[in-house]
DNA sequence: GCTTGACCCTGCCACCGTGGGAAGCACCAC
DNA sequence: GTGGTGCTTCCCACGGTGGCAGGGTCAAGC
């Protein structure tokens, strides 16, 4: 099966499949013309990768999960641990985002949003977080390592 | 004020300050020796940028907010709109992450996590989302544009 | 045979935001 | 003049994906 069919079958782009091969997530055979030749097994692995990515597992986790999946005799404990670590990371990120959204929503609620120039949102951005007031976000941020949202990564948040 | 002091005062790294200058977020003066010379006003802008980044505003939003902040006569409506759009994006992302976490946690709950090889997590990754079962995540994902979490961006999810 | 078009190949650049490091200049203290 | 520190610019890396350029390959049609 050529890469185009494999892409369609797995729901991944051909581009990504080549990338996953380049980083050694899978090793499809090559034919005489140097075209990749995907077996049904390769396609199953690609689907696996896609489902794992759908759950936002980083590729390094995907690599480990794939290895465990391939290992018939693996212990499910290891899989479970990876999954729960990822759950924790996802939830931490989600909470952090929600804290930011909450702070910002709070500010926006006190902003007239009319033609006048006074705006608590800008005031807050100018002044920074007041102690005991809004902006819980920064506090929950630091320990977050994976799933690098475009937000700040500042460890130095003091 | 040199870049090192400005960095300390604003809580940003010197590296990032140079970057923000490179993308025209601010234009500090230069001294005869080609060193950047940050005024108190520059530092206030840097702090503004940092606070906006703490709330995960993407830099393009930061640019707009800075422009509005500089404009004494701006209408707060515009600021409010940017903020609320961002809140919506944050919440969408947060919900999507929580949906993924929920699916995964659900799977992990049914995983023995012992030495035995059977594992619903791997089964699910192999089979993909069953209709009406778990994996709400993919459904909520597509429209998300900003705050590019490391998760999949797949538009082609059919 | 030859052309056309769809497919495949590799390789490079872009995004976003940040960190790391190299190589060279500026400054200050001794 | 020497050492250390800070500044300058420039390039590379990450993670994950898209895009495009410049080529090779194959199957179909004439």
């Amino acid at each position: 099966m050529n890469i185009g069919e494999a892409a369609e079958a797995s729901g991944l782009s051909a581009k990504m499949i080549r990338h996953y091969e380049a980083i050694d997530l899978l090793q499809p055979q090559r034919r005489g013309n140097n075209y990749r030749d995907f077996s049904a097994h390769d396609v199953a692995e690609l689907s696996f990768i896609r489902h794992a990515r759908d759950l936002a597992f980083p590729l390094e986790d995907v690599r480990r999960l794939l290895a465990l999946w391939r290992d018939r005799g693996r212990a499910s404990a290891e899989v479970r641990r990876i999954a729960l670590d990822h759950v924790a990371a996802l939830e931490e990120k989600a909470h952090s985002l929600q804290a930011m959204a909450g702070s910002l929503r709070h500010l926006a609620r006190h902003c007239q949003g009319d033609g006048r120039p006074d705006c608590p949102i800008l005031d807050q951005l100018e002044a920074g977080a007041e102690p005991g007031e809004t902006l819980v976000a920064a506090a929950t941020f630091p320990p977050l390592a994976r799933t690098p949202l475009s937000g700040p990564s500042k460890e130095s948040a003091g």
Side-chain angles (χ1 to χ4, degrees), chain A:
Chain A
M1 188 186 292
N2 278 350
I3 199 171
E5 300 162 84
E8 190 154 3
S10 65
L12 293 167
S13 69
K15 189 90 188 191
M16 281 300 93
I17 294 177
R18 291 194 194 99
H19 179 59
Y20 295 153
E21 182 194 12
I23 65 173
D24 281 320
L25 281 193
L26 75 166
Q27 296 83 31
Q29 297 292 110
R30 295 287 181 133
R31 284 199 293 257
N33 57 9
N34 199 30
Y35 282 21
R36 291 170 184 82
D37 188 8
F38 295 85
S39 67
H41 181 251
D42 290 324
V43 171
E45 293 202 345
L46 289 172
S47 293
F48 184 98
I49 293 171
R50 171 145 121 84
H51 299 316
R53 292 293 301 136
D54 283 354
L55 289 170
F57 278 104
L59 288 178
E60 280 315 304
D61 280 8
V62 174
R63 185 191 307 282
R64 285 187 224 117
L65 291 171
L66 260 178
L68 289 165
W69 185 47
R70 286 170 184 145
D71 177 6
R72 298 282 114 201
R74 85 262 156 169
S76 64
E78 175 69 0
V79 179
R80 193 162 184 271
R81 203 185 49 73
I82 293 173
L84 287 179
D85 282 359
H86 183 49
V87 165
L90 287 173
E91 290 185 338
E92 185 174 356
K93 177 73 71 184
H95 291 153
S96 148
L97 294 184
Q98 265 171 347
M100 291 188 270
S103 301
L104 208 43
R105 197 182 271 288
H106 175 77
L107 288 173
R109 224 184 333 258
H110 295 287
C111 175
Q112 299 298 330
D114 54 14
R116 285 173 295 177
D118 16 311
C119 178
I121 302 171
L122 293 180
D123 293 349
Q124 179 70 42
L125 290 176
E126 176 174 357
E130 298 296 323
E133 262 292 292
T134 61
L135 286 192
V136 204
T140 51
F141 228 122
L144 219 160
R146 40 176 39 162
T147 63
L149 147 114
S150 80
S153 60
K154 28 176 241 61
E155 281 78 359
S156 57

